[in-house]
Amino acid sequence: MSRFAIPMVLIAGAAALAALGTALVIFPDTASAQGAARAGIPPEAWTWGLVSAALATAASSIAGGYAVAKLGAAAVGALAEKPDLFGRLLIFVGLAEGIAIYGVIISILILNRLA
């Protein structure tokens, strides 16, 4: 595994959490009673719904980054020995990236449920 894999995953996670914090600072009324009143649900459910959507995206992005880092390093090693495996290895890396896409889909479902 590359020595840069873990730091890059940690940086991606920190960036996701920084984006959540920035969104809450820029749009403070979104996580407040005003946004909840617009949707007709309790303010606590509104706030926790937004936090859970953000955490679903952040956690899946971190997991996807870690999976691609591990799999990418192994794929490059295998590709150096057998270049004809490129198509198969690309599929495996795409499947690992799908983890992040699943998290985004879950976030969209959560946000649709809130609206």
Side-chain angles (χ1 to χ4, degrees):
M1 182 171 100
S2 172
R3 64 181 176 167
F4 298 111
I6 299 296
M8 292 306 289
V9 169
L10 293 176
I11 289 171
L17 292 177
L20 170 65
T22 304
L24 290 177
V25 168
I26 292 175
F27 304 108
D29 63 330
T30 305
S32 68
Q34 180 184 3
R38 229 178 329 143
I41 59 173
E44 297 85 22
W46 178 262
T47 303
W48 284 110
L50 294 177
V51 169
S52 64
L55 287 178
T57 302
S60 66
S61 298
I62 291 170
Y66 183 73
V68 168
K70 292 286 239 179
L71 189 62
V76 168
L79 197 58
E81 293 183 15
K82 285 187 146 184
D84 57 326
L85 293 177
F86 178 74
R88 291 181 188 166
L89 296 176
L90 189 63
I91 291 171
F92 288 138
V93 173
L95 288 173
E97 185 65 30
I99 296 170
I101 295 170
Y102 295 144
V104 171
I105 291 170
I106 294 299
S107 295
I108 291 170
L109 291 174
I110 291 170
L111 293 174
N112 280 338
R113 184 74 170 168
L114 287 177

